[in-house]
Amino acid sequence: MSVLVYIEADNNAVKKSSLEALTYAVKMNAGDVTALVTDKAENLEELGKYGVKTVLQVSDDKLSTRPVSAIASAIASAASKAGANVVVMSRSSTVDAAAPRVGVKMKATVASNVVALPQTDNGFVVRRGVFTGKAFADTKLEGENKVLTIAKNALAIDDSVGGSATVEAFSPEYGAKDFAVKVTDVKKQEGDILLPEADLVVSAGRGLKGPENWGMIENLANELHAATACSKPVSDMDWRPHHEHVGQTGIKVAPSLYIAVGISGAIQHLAGVNSSKTIVVINKDSEAPFFKSADYGVVGDAFDVVPKLTEALKKAGI
């Protein structure tokens, strides 16, 4: 088995989720693992400590807006060059759209939202999260070529392999229509901690009563070095920007810790956060549905609980 890992970067740094995909590929007990990078990124030779032998780096400004068809062609082209029969990628808006295209180009079977390493005792079987994380499906992939998209936080990053990767310039082969769709504008979320990559998230809903009360949520998030998020009604009312909306129709997150303040826990919201490793719910309504999905729950007024929690964290020096 030979594996190609597609790596995404932001602000010249490799994304945490891509490092998780890299760890997944190495732990598959594969032979040589090759990485493909189409974004601008620095210090790519350091990917060697995660187990990568070779990094194929594409320097092409036409890929800066991540045109999906062109990205898919670049991945398939790199897999061919590396002799890889398995492609591993971490889920993202780009990857979710590119993966099936890569599958067609490679004549491969595709499995999305993979949450565990494959079982190879009887073929090639992967476990996938289905029904918005409410269940798992064990899926057997036939054929030599396979494309896997890995759920965020499915595997802890392992950088203990050691070594330095060889970085090579790579020029993919594109299709005639790969750049037929033109991206005219890109609006990027700003901030020190970006929500899709955050390991800790503090989120709030209508229980905060208005945008003027969001300071205590930001204070708690700052103390935890966490990203802030909100429920759909909050973004719909313009209390918070839409890029903070988490849920089925917003951003789906899978942090190690998700703190929900004043959110009732509608099924649409749960669909976007139920892959979180630990969920803490703070709500004065003891019957709020969110408590059924929480690992820890605090029944109390957010305006009383959150400032005290923030102060306790400050005293603890966390």
Side-chain angles (χ1 to χ4, degrees):
M1 187 192 310
S2 182
V3 183
L4 176 79
V5 183
Y6 176 58
I7 299 291
E8 291 184 278
D10 192 52
N11 292 327
N12 292 326
V14 172
K15 289 185 175 183
K16 171 180 174 287
S17 54
S18 287
L19 296 179
E20 292 170 355
L22 202 48
T23 296
Y24 184 99
V26 172
K27 289 187 178 295
M28 284 172 63
N29 217 7
D32 288 344
V33 175
T34 302
L36 170 68
V37 181
T38 59
D39 298 319
K40 292 181 179 179
E42 299 173 349
N43 304 319
L44 292 177
E45 66 280 354
E46 294 181 3
L47 293 179
K49 64 184 179 182
Y50 302 95
V52 173
K53 302 295 184 184
T54 304
V55 179
L56 302 178
Q57 185 174 26
V58 180
S59 298
D60 190 339
D61 289 339
K62 295 195 299 295
L63 297 184
S64 62
T65 56
R66 295 183 184 170
V68 172
S69 293
I71 292 292
S73 289
I75 294 170
S77 180
S80 177
K81 174 179 173 59
N85 62 315
V86 178
V87 173
V88 174
M89 305 176 272
S90 178
R91 289 196 63 189
S92 69
S93 57
T94 299
V95 165
D96 286 352
R101 291 172 167 84
V102 176
V104 171
K105 292 176 184 295
M106 293 181 60
K107 296 181 173 59
T109 49
V110 180
S112 61
N113 207 33
V114 176
V115 298
L117 290 168
Q119 301 296 318
T120 56
D121 296 339
N122 182 25
F124 192 98
V125 179
V126 293
R127 175 158 291 186
R128 303 168 49 242
V130 295
F131 301 120
T132 61
K134 295 184 180 65
F136 298 104
D138 289 337
T139 305
K140 187 174 184 178
L141 302 185
E142 304 288 354
E144 180 182 4
N145 295 338
K146 302 168 183 67
V147 176
L148 310 179
T149 69
I150 313 302
K152 292 178 182 178
N153 249 338
L155 216 64
I157 296 171
D158 183 0
D159 62 355
S160 65
V161 178
S164 179
T166 301
V167 181
E168 299 179 3
F170 177 61
S171 298
E173 295 181 8
Y174 299 117
K177 297 183 179 180
D178 281 348
F179 296 97
V181 176
K182 304 294 184 183
V183 178
T184 59
D185 187 34
V186 176
K187 294 181 180 179
K188 297 187 67 174
Q189 177 185 344
E190 301 294 334
D192 294 332
I193 305 173
L194 301 182
L195 184 55
E197 293 293 306
D199 195 47
L200 304 174
V201 176
V202 179
S203 186
R206 284 180 291 185
L208 260 68
K209 300 180 181 178
E212 67 277 4
N213 297 317
W214 231 262
M216 67 178 187
I217 299 300
E218 293 171 337
N219 289 341
L220 177 58
N222 288 338
E223 203 61 40
L224 289 169
H225 306 289
T228 56
C230 68
S231 62
K232 184 177 187 298
V234 165
S235 64
D236 286 345
M237 292 184 291
D238 291 326
W239 289 5
R240 298 298 292 176
H242 284 273
H243 66 247
E244 289 192 0
H245 163 211
V246 294
Q248 189 170 29
T249 56
I251 295 174
K252 295 176 178 62
V253 295
S256 296
L257 174 63
Y258 182 81
I259 300 177
V261 181
I263 300 175
S264 62
I267 190 170
Q268 293 87 349
H269 187 82
L270 288 173
V273 305
N274 58 8
S275 294
S276 305
K277 289 187 176 179
T278 302
I279 296 176
V280 176
V281 172
I282 301 171
N283 200 306
K284 66 180 181 182
D285 179 8
S286 61
E287 300 299 319
F290 219 153
F291 282 118
K292 296 179 181 179
S293 302
D295 296 286
Y296 300 95
V298 179
V299 179
D301 190 330
F303 294 94
D304 181 44
V305 175
V306 173
K308 289 182 178 178
L309 175 58
T310 304
E311 188 60 31
L313 289 168
K314 286 181 179 179
K315 289 182 180 179
I318 297 177

